[in-house]
DNA sequence: ATGTCAGGCGTAGCCTGA
């Protein structure tokens, strides 16, 4: 059981979550209630959809979190919340590409280099957004190489990857396979990212697949079980080896005004004072 | 049968993005 209590043997545990809130303005009360209800040390957020001045910093800090955020109007926007200080915060990628999308923020906390990422959706295969997605993923790979050189500590790449790694991460392959979220090309790009030294901490706890993190609002996706697993926590091997559980908190996709994503939460036998 | 949300613009209802 991941939520509700900490087993004695796991009292050294810490939790890391990733949650695409689809507007922090629209999700603020839900998010604050969720943060207050659970003990989660590090929370990566995506799709804030607000400029930094509208980020609810005070309310989040009142719950005992430090917050680093990188927002923009209407689109994108990412944040990292931590119950420990956030050091060496960096936004965007340290490359020469001119890219105004607020899709990446990184910080060091609990001795881990935590990265909150909102991968491009890609629109449709024949849109201009799809090559941007592939290029962005290739750039992220190089950014991770640089980050691992600069910060020789375990990394956790968390976010809405907009990629379902396997066909059994897709409820209805006939509907989604070959699209921007589930095709050979984006899966190869994701493997290239993982090849720098990151592993999916969630999948080993759900080897049968069929566990999803996003359901389209349209067509009653959640009610019909028509989901995809596109939100992920990838970690360096030494951190991944200490993962002791991972879930999708489907409760956050139910009830009044949910995001179209549910949070993914992983627990680690890991603590740094 | 392009189904639902969210934000922008601007103050109604259409547009974009997902």
């Amino acid at each position: 059981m991941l939520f509700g209590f900490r087993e004695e043997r796991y009292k050294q545990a810490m939790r890391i979550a990733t949650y695409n809130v689809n507007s922090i303005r629209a999700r603020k009360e839900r998010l604050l209630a969720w943060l207050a209800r659970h003990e989660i040390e590090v929370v990566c957020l995506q799709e804030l959809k607000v400029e930094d001045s509208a980020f609810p910093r005070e309310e989040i800090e009142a719950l005992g979190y430090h917050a680093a955020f990188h927002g923009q109007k209407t689109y994108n926007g990412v944040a990292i919340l931590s119950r420990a200080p956030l050091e060496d915060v960096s936004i965007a990628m340290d490359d020469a590409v001119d890219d105004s999308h607020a899709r990446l923020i990184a910080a060091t906390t609990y001795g881990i280099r935590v990265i909150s990422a909102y991968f491009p959706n890609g629109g449709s295969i024949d849109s201009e957004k799809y090559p941007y997605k592939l290029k962005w993923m290739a750039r992220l790979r190089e950014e991770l190489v640089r980050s691992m050189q600069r910060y020789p500590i375990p990394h956790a790449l968390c976010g809405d990857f907009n990629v379902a790694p396997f066909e059994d991460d897709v409820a209805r392959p006939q509907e989604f396979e070959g699209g921007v979220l589930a095709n050979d090309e984006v899966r190869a790009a994701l493997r290239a990212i993982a090849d720098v030294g990151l592993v999916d901490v969630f999948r080993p706890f759900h080897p049968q697949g069929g566990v999803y993190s996003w359901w389209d609002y349209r067509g009653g996706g959640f009610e019909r079980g028509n989901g995809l697993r596109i939100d992920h926590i990838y970690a360096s091997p030494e951190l991944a080896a200490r993962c002791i559980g991972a879930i999708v908190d489907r409760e956050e996709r139910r009830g009044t005004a949910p995001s179209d994503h549910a949070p993914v939460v992983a627990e680690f036998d890991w603590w740094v004072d």
Side-chain angles (χ1 to χ4, degrees):
Chain A
M1 185 67 194
L2 193 62
F3 277 163
F5 65 95
R6 288 184 200 279
E7 293 179 36
E8 189 65 16
R9 69 196 169 104
Y10 293 154
K11 66 182 178 185
Q12 292 288 103
M14 68 166 296
R15 296 180 182 130
I16 300 176
T18 186
Y19 184 15
N20 179 324
V21 293
N22 185 19
S23 169
I24 198 162
R25 188 181 287 130
R27 222 63 58 206
K28 189 177 85 171
E29 295 308 323
R30 256 199 110 111
L31 173 67
L32 293 172
W34 183 74
L35 292 173
R37 189 155 16 103
H38 301 298
E39 292 179 43
I40 304 176
E41 279 71 26
V42 179
V43 180
C44 294
L45 302 175
Q46 301 86 36
E47 278 211 90
L48 305 178
K49 293 187 173 181
V50 295
E51 292 178 305
D52 288 349
S53 58
F55 186 88
R57 170 203 282 275
E58 289 81 7
E59 285 144 298
I60 284 171
E61 287 180 346
L63 292 173
Y65 285 99
H66 302 258
F69 41 91
H70 175 38
Q72 70 182 89
K73 191 159 74 170
T74 314
Y75 308 112
N76 312 315
V78 286
I80 303 173
L81 317 181
S82 176
R83 292 190 168 275
L86 291 159
E87 291 163 355
D88 298 321
V89 174
S90 62
I91 58 168
M93 296 199 215
D94 186 20
D95 63 18
V97 178
D98 183 20
D99 185 349
S100 61
H101 295 202
R103 296 185 176 276
L104 202 71
I105 188 166
T108 301
T109 191
Y110 291 101
I112 300 164
R113 191 67 183 163
V114 175
I115 301 158
S116 179
Y118 177 46
F119 288 41
N121 171 285
S124 58
I125 296 286
D126 58 359
S127 73
E128 291 176 2
K129 293 171 191 165
Y130 182 63
Y132 170 73
K133 176 179 193 169
L134 295 174
K135 216 165 280 178
W136 192 93
M137 291 178 75
R139 289 173 57 210
L140 177 61
R141 183 187 190 281
E142 299 314 307
E143 180 69 18
L144 289 165
V145 170
R146 286 190 292 271
S147 179
M148 288 173 173
Q149 286 168 349
R150 183 165 178 183
Y151 302 100
I153 56 175
H155 278 54
L157 174 66
C158 311
D160 177 358
F161 288 29
N162 270 314
V163 178
F166 303 105
E167 189 170 320
D168 62 9
D169 293 316
V170 181
R172 296 191 190 177
Q174 69 278 17
E175 193 175 322
F176 286 98
E177 283 294 328
V180 293
L181 305 178
N183 68 59
D184 293 343
E185 210 166 22
V186 293
R187 285 172 175 148
L190 178 54
R191 283 195 298 274
I193 287 168
D195 282 347
V196 309
L198 295 166
V199 296
D200 179 350
V201 306
F202 183 91
R203 187 61 202 227
F205 294 97
H206 306 273
Q208 76 288 357
V211 180
Y212 313 120
S213 66
W214 170 82
W215 300 261
D216 202 327
Y217 286 128
R218 294 166 290 189
F222 185 74
E223 293 72 18
R224 293 166 183 265
N226 185 16
L228 282 79
R229 188 174 70 97
I230 57 175
D231 299 273
H232 305 295
I233 298 173
Y234 277 42
S236 300
E238 65 268 41
L239 179 58
R242 289 185 164 274
C243 189
I244 55 182
I247 60 146
V248 172
D249 185 5
R250 294 168 54 94
E251 280 309 304
E252 286 309 296
R253 187 60 178 80
R254 297 193 177 98
T256 307
S259 169
D260 47 351
H261 297 251
V264 176
V265 188
E267 191 164 46
F268 298 85
D269 182 11
W270 183 276
W271 199 271
V272 177
D273 290 320

